[in-house]
């Protein structure tokens, strides 16, 4: 069974494209081989800045012969039908067989495809892969028609077996497949031949090329960490930067250099961002958290151990950090002379959305909402409003203009420089959080308030103008905003009636939209307070449903079943997300117990009988059953058990102790089972039948006090 080695050698492939290119190469080639009738044991793809490589081992030597029979039209069918069948099969009429089939003579085509040798199949698959490769951006060069990410120089394609290595014969746009490749551009120029993957990887390593990007990344990480540790420092971890840098070099050489003393007073985030974005440098910090050095990764070894490289990089870095220091000092002067609100003044001329007004308009809405939410989060309304007025001020700063990813972070620094309270500065820094599922959630009341107000204004604004997520499209990141609100509420245990909270900002957003585009069909009739309020209520309900959808996803990730979530969503107060999750967790835990499983069966039996009889009789058996009509001891015992359960469930629910309420409900399991074993519900005595059906309704009512168990799967 031969092994395939493929290398596509080109000019530099952008680092950001390499991971997907590896996956695409592996999928396109292996899928193509399988579709052509070959099987394989395993495959792996690799990349460096100048090459994509694929190894497929355990490949079958040829595809199997295939014999296929196809039934065609009747012999007396219209000529067009017969001609169509001939075209589909690629046969002539004299190659067809005539067979009897259900009182008619029918044409059959017998198509035999002989097996094909692996080299022939590989040549076809690889050529098609190269010509159709899905680069995000590609180019043509010279006079050829081939498109590749950068000019493609050579193709290495070998099938290696016990008999030796065989070049797969094909060419693409004049580039003929061969058995040679190149090493490092500077340290090992020139081509050399290989005989298989192990020989290929070993000779590349000898030619100063690490083929595996994971190996390069680990080499960089380890060398940088050791270098920093030796000086009592540590590397600021950045997995994304590590992956990118590993894609920029074939032979990584880690070098560490100093940052000028004049720049050490800059905020560490500024130093880190400037070095990462402009130079692809890693940051090195001391035990006090100050960024004091940088790590760069060269693509070659030098006679002076990188001294010249470090000197050149240091010179460029000083120029970049000089710019950052200028931005920092200029922003501080603005803050000290005009205040943070003065810095934010220009936001009146920055459009947030053409139907929702400027950033200044938005800040006004966030301030109003922060005042309303503050009592619910335990924050001072005045402090929350003050923070809301300045949290977006850094959008006008020179630093954020250069590094947009520092918005919020710089706002915190500028707020402290302006002498604002710590709570306001913390809110400036944290109000965008959480940005993702692993991001830290703010817990300080003012920060939580402003973070909620910011996200809720975004959501209610885009709901008001009917710009909702559709399918996979979410251009305004509204799903992320909803998840952020959910995590803020749950992490801080906030008790919000979310539907009420959503109404006021929706109406403010609709008013803003109407003021900007009064001809818009969805604009409210501000002269009719009742109509506008009803319209806002519909939008708020729709947005709450979107919250529930995202909460389902969030809770499923926490291990809570979808049917349990649906059962809890059916209960009153489902806009209190903290209460809703507390209920769902209790029900989920209860249903995992033996009592929970058994109670569900008893409940469903009662519910199914009751539902069927109500449908048949056309009435609702919701009157209170009377114990005086109980005949069997088991029936009387069920009455007593229901009384006890109700007495325990009511105070437990009032205390929001759902676990205790479910435990009290579980006590009904044995009385319900005993009742069904001893008593016939649909007896001929209509008085007893109605009383027993009403008793089943009481079971259903009590069992659904915590959650709608009818929605729980069997």
């Amino acid at each position: 069974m031969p092994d395939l080695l493929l290398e596509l050698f080109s000019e530099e492939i952008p680092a950001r494209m390499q991971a997907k290119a590896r996956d695409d190469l592996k999928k396109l080639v292996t899928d193509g081989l399988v579709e052509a009738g070959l099987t394989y044991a395993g495959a792996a793809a690799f990349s460096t800045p100048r090459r994509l490589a694929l190894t497929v081992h355990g490949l079958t030597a040829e595809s199997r012969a295939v014999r296929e029979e196809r039934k065609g039209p009747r012999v007396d069918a219209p000529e067009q039908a017969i001609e169509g069948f001939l075209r589909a099969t690629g046969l002539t009429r004299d190659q067809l067989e005539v067979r009897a089939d259900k009182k008619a003579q029918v044409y059959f085509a017998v198509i035999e495809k002989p097996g094909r040798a692996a080299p022939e199949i590989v040549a076809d698959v690889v050529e098609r892969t190269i010509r159709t490769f899905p680069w995000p951006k590609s180019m043509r060069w010279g006079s050829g028609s081939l498109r590749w990410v950068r000019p493609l120089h050579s193709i290495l394609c070998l099938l290696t077996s016990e008999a030796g290595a065989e070049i797969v014969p094909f060419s693409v746009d004049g580039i003929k497949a061969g058995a040679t490749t190149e090493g490092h551009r500077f340290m090992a120029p020139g081509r050399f031949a290989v005989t298989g993957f192990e020989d290929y990887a070993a000779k590349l390593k000898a030619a100063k090329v690490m083929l595996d990007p994971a190996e390069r990344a680990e080499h960089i990480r380890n060398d940088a960490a050791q270098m920093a540790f030796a000086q009592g420092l540590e590397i600021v971890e950045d997995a994304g930067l590590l992956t990118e840098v590993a894609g920029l070099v074939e032979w990584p050489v880690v070098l560490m250099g100093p940052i000028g003393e004049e720049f050490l007073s800059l905020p560490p985030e500024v130093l880190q961002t400037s070095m990462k974005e402009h130079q692809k440098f890693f940051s090195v910090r001391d035990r006090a958290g100050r960024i004091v050095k940088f790590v760069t990764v060269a693509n070659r070894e030098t006679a002076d151990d990188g001294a010249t490289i470090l000197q050149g990089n240091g010179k460029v870095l000083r120029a970049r950090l000089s710019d950052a220091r200028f931005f920092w000092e200029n922003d501080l002067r603005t803050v000290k002379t005009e205040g943070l609100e003065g810095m934010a003044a220009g936001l009146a001329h920055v459009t947030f959305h053409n139907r929702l007004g400027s950033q200044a308009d938005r800040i006004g809405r966030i301030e109003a909402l922060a005042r309303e939410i503050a009592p619910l989060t335990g924050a001072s309304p005045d402090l929350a409003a003050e923070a809301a007025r300045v949290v977006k001020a850094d959008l006008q700063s020179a630093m954020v203009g250069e590094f947009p990813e520092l918005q919020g972070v710089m706002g915190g620094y500028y707020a402290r420089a302006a002498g604002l309270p710590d709570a306001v500065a913390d809110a400036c820094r944290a109000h965008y959080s959480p940005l993702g599922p692993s991001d830290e959630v703010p817990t300080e009341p003012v920060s939580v308030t402003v973070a909620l107000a910011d996200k809720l204004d975004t959501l209610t604004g885009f709901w008001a103008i009917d710009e909702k997520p559709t399918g996979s499209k979410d251009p305004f990141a509204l799903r992320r905003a909803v998840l952020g609100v959910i995590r803020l509420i749950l992490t801080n245990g906030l008790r919000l009636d979310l539907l009420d909270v959503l109404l006021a900002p929706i109406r403010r957003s609709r008013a803003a939209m109407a003021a900007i585009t009064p001809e818009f069909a969805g604009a409210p009739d501000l002269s009719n307070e009742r109509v506008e309020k009803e319209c806002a209520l519909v939008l708020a309900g729709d947005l709450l449903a979107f919250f529930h959808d995202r909460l389902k996803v969030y809770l499923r990730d926490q291990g809570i079943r979808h049917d349990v979530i649906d059962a809890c969503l059916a209960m009153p107060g489902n806009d209190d997300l903290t209460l809703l999750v507390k209920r769902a967790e209790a029900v989920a835990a209860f249903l995992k117990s033996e009592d929970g499983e058994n109670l569900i069966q008893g409940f469903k039996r009662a519910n199914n009988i009751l539902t069927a009889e109500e449908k048949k009789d056309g009435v609702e058996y919701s009157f209170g059953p009377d114990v005086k009509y109980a005949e069997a001891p088991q029936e009387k015992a069920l009455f007593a058990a229901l009384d006890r359960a109700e007495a325990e469930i009511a105070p437990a629910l009032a205390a929001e102790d759902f676990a205790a309420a479910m435990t009290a409900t579980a006590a009904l399991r044995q009385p319900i089972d005993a009742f069904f074993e001893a008593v016939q519900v649909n007896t001929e005595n209509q008085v007893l039948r109605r009383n027993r059906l009403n008793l089943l309704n009481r079971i259903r009512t009590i069992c659904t006090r915590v959650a709608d168990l009818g929605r729980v799967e069997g």
Side-chain angles (χ1 to χ4, degrees):
M1 301 180 79
D3 296 336
L4 170 65
L5 171 61
L6 172 66
E7 182 201 70
L8 305 171
F9 185 85
S10 68
E11 294 296 330
E12 272 72 7
I13 304 168
R16 68 182 182 279
M17 298 184 186
Q18 291 175 24
K20 185 176 186 300
R22 292 194 300 269
D23 293 341
D24 288 340
L25 181 65
K26 180 179 174 181
K27 178 175 174 55
L28 289 170
V29 172
T30 55
D31 285 358
L33 294 175
V34 170
E35 288 169 8
L38 298 181
T39 61
Y40 65 97
F46 305 91
S47 66
T48 77
R50 297 204 297 163
R51 71 200 77 221
L52 284 178
L54 175 70
T55 175
V56 182
H57 61 272
L59 197 64
T60 46
E62 62 180 8
S63 62
R64 291 185 301 173
V66 176
R67 187 177 188 276
E68 177 187 2
E69 290 190 0
R70 292 190 195 178
K71 181 181 177 182
R74 291 167 41 148
V75 173
D76 58 354
E79 192 65 22
Q80 295 91 333
I82 297 173
E83 290 296 328
F85 182 61
L86 292 173
R87 285 194 300 272
T89 59
L91 302 179
T92 60
R93 188 172 304 206
D94 60 347
Q95 292 176 305
L96 300 179
E97 295 182 7
V98 178
R99 301 178 188 174
D101 184 74
K102 296 181 181 178
K103 300 181 181 180
Q105 297 294 304
V106 175
Y107 284 121
F108 274 81
V110 179
I111 305 170
E112 294 186 355
K113 296 180 180 178
R116 299 170 66 202
E120 181 185 351
I121 293 174
V122 169
D124 289 346
V125 170
V126 173
E127 181 178 356
R128 183 170 65 250
T129 296
I130 294 173
R131 291 193 179 278
T132 62
F133 202 82
W135 292 108
K137 290 184 178 181
S138 59
M139 61 181 292
R140 287 192 300 118
W141 60 96
S143 58
S145 61
L146 178 65
R147 299 190 70 89
W148 200 247
V149 62
R150 296 290 187 272
L152 184 64
H153 291 319
S154 68
I155 301 170
L156 185 157
C157 193
L158 293 178
L159 281 171
T160 305
S161 64
E162 293 179 355
E166 172 190 1
I167 297 174
V168 178
F170 70 95
S171 64
V172 180
D173 229 38
I175 305 172
K176 190 175 180 180
T180 64
T181 185
E182 291 187 25
H184 195 280
R185 184 190 295 272
F186 306 112
M187 292 190 291
R191 300 192 71 81
F192 53 87
V194 300
T195 59
F197 178 72
E198 290 184 3
D199 183 49
Y200 168 74
K203 286 182 176 177
L204 278 180
K205 183 68 70 72
K208 303 297 185 181
V209 175
M210 288 187 190
L211 179 63
D212 189 347
E215 180 187 1
R216 296 196 301 274
E218 177 57 23
H219 177 85
I220 294 168
R221 188 203 64 76
N222 183 65
D223 275 17
Q226 293 296 330
M227 204 173 286
F229 179 76
Q231 299 184 36
L233 307 172
E234 67 174 354
I235 299 291
V236 177
E237 292 188 9
D238 191 325
L241 180 59
L242 180 61
T243 299
E244 183 178 7
V245 172
L248 296 173
V249 294
E250 290 195 318
W251 191 255
V253 177
V254 177
L255 304 170
M256 181 182 290
I259 296 173
E261 288 287 337
E262 66 271 30
F263 304 118
L264 297 184
S265 61
L266 288 172
E269 296 89 349
V270 171
L271 291 170
Q272 185 178 347
T273 303
S274 180
M275 292 192 294
K276 173 182 176 178
E277 294 301 316
H278 291 313
Q279 304 299 121
K280 309 304 177 190
F281 290 171
F282 294 91
S283 298
V284 184
R285 62 189 170 205
D286 61 15
R287 289 188 175 89
R290 297 185 310 152
I291 306 296
V292 293
K293 293 200 173 187
F294 69 90
V295 163
T296 184
V297 181
N299 190 33
R300 61 179 298 177
E301 298 169 352
T302 61
D304 62 358
D305 293 328
T308 302
I309 294 174
L310 272 179
Q311 184 179 9
N313 282 338
K315 187 179 295 185
V316 175
L317 179 60
R318 279 193 296 275
R320 292 295 189 183
L321 295 184
S322 293
D323 291 342
R325 186 176 63 176
F326 171 79
F327 298 144
W328 168 248
E329 292 173 350
N330 186 62
D331 289 339
L332 288 180
R333 279 193 297 271
T334 301
V335 168
K336 290 176 181 177
T337 57
E338 302 177 19
L340 212 52
E341 291 191 44
M343 176 181 277
L347 292 175
H349 308 293
V350 177
T351 299
F352 168 62
H353 188 280
N354 60 358
R355 281 153 60 189
L356 290 171
S358 67
Q359 285 283 6
D361 296 329
R362 183 171 183 240
I363 289 169
R365 296 194 298 271
I366 293 174
E367 179 185 353
L369 184 54
R371 280 193 177 277
E372 294 165 4
I373 295 175
L376 304 174
T377 63
S380 160
D382 290 340
L383 208 54
E386 182 181 6
R389 286 195 297 272
V390 298
V391 290
K392 303 292 183 185
D394 64 353
L395 295 178
Q396 288 292 97
S397 68
M399 186 69 78
V400 171
E402 177 71 9
F403 301 116
E405 59 269 43
L406 289 179
Q407 56 189 283
V409 172
M410 299 314 301
Y413 283 110
Y414 297 146
R416 283 188 167 83
L420 297 177
D422 286 346
V424 172
D426 291 341
C428 289
R429 186 183 184 94
H431 80 282
Y432 290 107
S433 298
L435 288 172
S438 59
D439 195 20
E440 187 176 348
V441 178
T443 56
E444 199 280 328
V446 175
S447 297
V448 171
T449 302
V450 180
L452 280 172
D454 178 62
K455 292 167 180 59
L456 289 174
D457 176 75
T458 298
L459 289 163
T460 55
F462 286 107
W463 239 255
I465 61 174
D466 199 29
E467 289 281 1
K468 307 170 189 175
T470 57
S472 61
K473 295 183 178 179
D474 187 10
F476 303 110
L478 301 184
R479 291 187 179 94
R480 186 175 70 184
V482 164
L483 181 58
V485 172
I486 289 171
R487 293 187 65 208
L488 282 163
I489 290 174
L490 298 183
T491 299
N492 291 283
L494 301 180
R495 304 303 300 273
L496 308 180
D497 293 330
L498 196 53
L499 190 63
D500 290 339
V501 171
L502 296 174
L503 277 171
I506 281 180
R507 297 183 73 181
R508 277 193 290 269
S509 294
R510 286 172 59 81
M513 173 197 65
I516 296 166
T517 55
E519 73 282 358
F520 179 61
D525 178 6
L526 296 179
S527 64
N528 191 325
E529 178 71 14
R530 182 184 61 81
V531 171
E532 165 54 13
K533 188 171 183 178
E534 289 177 356
C535 185
L537 188 59
V538 170
L539 287 173
D542 186 57
L543 179 51
L544 179 61
F546 186 67
F547 268 92
H548 287 161
D549 287 341
R550 303 316 299 168
L551 182 64
K552 285 182 183 180
V553 175
Y554 178 79
L555 291 180
R556 279 202 297 268
D557 290 342
Q558 310 301 312
I560 298 180
R561 290 167 15 195
H562 69 91
D563 55 331
V564 172
I565 302 169
D566 287 338
C568 296
L569 282 171
M571 304 307 292
N574 63 16
D575 63 337
D576 181 343
L577 302 188
T578 297
L579 182 68
L580 176 59
V581 171
K582 188 177 180 181
R583 187 189 298 267
E585 289 173 343
V587 174
F590 173 71
L591 292 180
K592 291 177 181 177
S593 67
E594 184 179 352
D595 280 346
E597 292 178 4
N598 292 334
L599 177 64
I600 285 292
Q601 300 309 316
F603 164 79
K604 285 190 176 292
R605 185 176 181 181
N607 188 51
N608 290 341
I609 293 172
L610 180 59
T611 301
E613 296 306 309
E614 286 180 333
K615 182 178 181 181
K616 183 178 72 176
D617 298 346
V619 298
E620 184 179 280
Y621 291 101
S622 56
F623 298 100
D626 195 330
V627 69
K628 73 181 180 182
Y629 296 114
E631 293 186 339
Q634 294 86 345
E635 190 173 4
K636 295 176 182 177
L638 179 57
F639 271 96
L642 290 170
D643 290 339
R644 288 193 300 273
E646 275 194 322
E648 294 177 20
I649 291 171
L653 289 178
E656 296 179 0
D657 188 349
F658 298 115
M662 292 304 295
T663 299
T665 308
L668 295 172
R669 178 179 64 86
Q670 288 183 328
I672 291 174
D673 289 346
F675 169 79
F676 280 121
E677 288 174 7
V679 174
Q680 179 183 358
V681 174
N682 283 314
T683 179
E684 292 183 1
N685 185 320
Q686 291 303 304
V687 172
L688 294 181
R689 175 176 177 270
R690 283 194 298 272
N691 196 62
R692 288 168 181 169
L693 289 173
N694 282 319
L695 183 60
L696 296 189
N697 180 72
R698 191 178 176 199
I699 293 173
R700 179 168 67 183
T701 300
I702 290 175
C703 286
T704 54
R705 291 289 301 277
V706 177
D708 185 353
L709 299 185
R711 297 175 186 265
V712 175
E713 295 176 359

